[in-house]
Amino acid sequence: MAQHAENDFVGMNCGIMDQFASGFGKKDCAIALDCNTLEYEHVPLEMRGLKFVIANTNKKRGLVDSAYNQRRSECQQALEILQQHTSVENLCQLTVSQFDELSSNLSGDVLKRARHAVRENGHVREAITALKRGDMVRFGQLMNASHTSLRDDYEVTCPELDFLVERAQQFPGVLGSRMTGAGFGGCTVTLIAENQVNAFVETLGKAYEERFGLRADFYVAEIGDGARDSLSLLSKLVRKSATQ
C-alpha cells in the first residue's frame, strides 16, 4: 500500500526497499531482499567495533521532478531490447558475464543504466556472502564500488554526495562509503571504526560547510527491529485507552 501510494499518487516510480525494511527490519541483521519476488533473508550483521554513520547533505531535491523516473524508464528500455535476444523478465536475472555478452545490443545512456543495474545486483550478492563470513573489509570495498557505479553509470549522485563520499573514503578507520537512497541529494552512509566517529563527524562537517555553504547532519545508526514493535506498542496504548 505504501509503495502504491508513492507510485500512483505521488508519481514517483520507486521500488519497495524502504517500505519493506521499515516493516521487516531485524535487530543486528541486514535484509537480503529480492524486490521482484519479495523473498527475503535476514543476514547477521556483526559490527564488532564498527558503526554506520549517515550524513545528510541537506541539499534540497524533488525526486518526482528529477531524473529518477527517467532512470527507471531507461532500464525498462534496456530490458525490452535485451528481451529480443534472451529470455529474462528483469535485468537482475542476468549475471555480469551474461550481460557483457549481450551489451553490444545497447548503447549510450541505456547501456550505462542497465550495466549499473546488473553489476549492482552482483555487488549485493557478493555483499551477502561477505556478511555471512563476517568479512566487513570486503563489504566496505563493495560499498565503494557501488558508489562508483551510481556516479558513473547510473549518474544519480551530485557534487555534494561525491564530496562527502570521497572525503569519507580517505578518512582513517573508514572501510567504505557510498550514497544511499534515490540520489540527486540526500544522504551518504559510511562504515567506520567506532573510535573514529567523533573525529569523522567534526572533520567532514567542517570541510563540507566550507565547500558548499551547507551544514550536513550526521547520524550514528543502530540496527534495530522494524516498525512492528512500534505498532504493537501503539496497539497496546489504544486498548488501554479504550478501557479507561
Side-chain angles (χ1 to χ4, degrees), residues 1-4 6-7 14-24:
M1 290 175 64
Q3 183 190 24
H4 172 72
E6 294 216 51
N7 291 171
C14 67
I16 200 169
M17 182 184 69
D18 290 358
Q19 301 91 331
F20 198 96
S22 295
F24 289 87

Side-chain angles (χ1 to χ4, degrees), residues 21-39:
S22 295
F24 289 87
K26 183 178 179 180
K27 184 174 174 58
D28 298 328
C29 288
I31 304 175
L33 169 66
D34 185 329
C35 294
N36 184 46
T37 65
L38 297 189
E39 294 180 357

Side-chain angles (χ1 to χ4, degrees), residues 140-211:
Q141 292 170 345
L142 291 164
M143 291 176 66
N144 293 338
S146 175
H147 185 82
T148 298
S149 182
L150 287 160
R151 181 192 65 206
D152 297 344
D153 275 348
Y154 213 52
E155 296 183 293
V156 292
T157 67
C158 62
E160 292 84 356
L161 287 169
D162 290 335
F163 179 88
L164 285 174
V165 167
E166 289 164 9
R167 288 297 182 96
Q169 290 174 351
Q170 299 167 8
F171 199 85
V174 168
L175 298 185
S177 186
R178 53 158 283 177
M179 63 151 276
T180 186
F184 309 105
C187 299
T188 68
V189 58
T190 299
L191 180 62
I192 183 173
E194 187 172 7
N195 61 9
Q196 292 287 347
V197 168
N198 291 338
F200 174 83
V201 170
E202 181 179 354
T203 302
L204 259 69
K206 181 179 179 181
Y208 180 75
E209 188 170 4
E210 289 176 351
R211 174 66 177 81

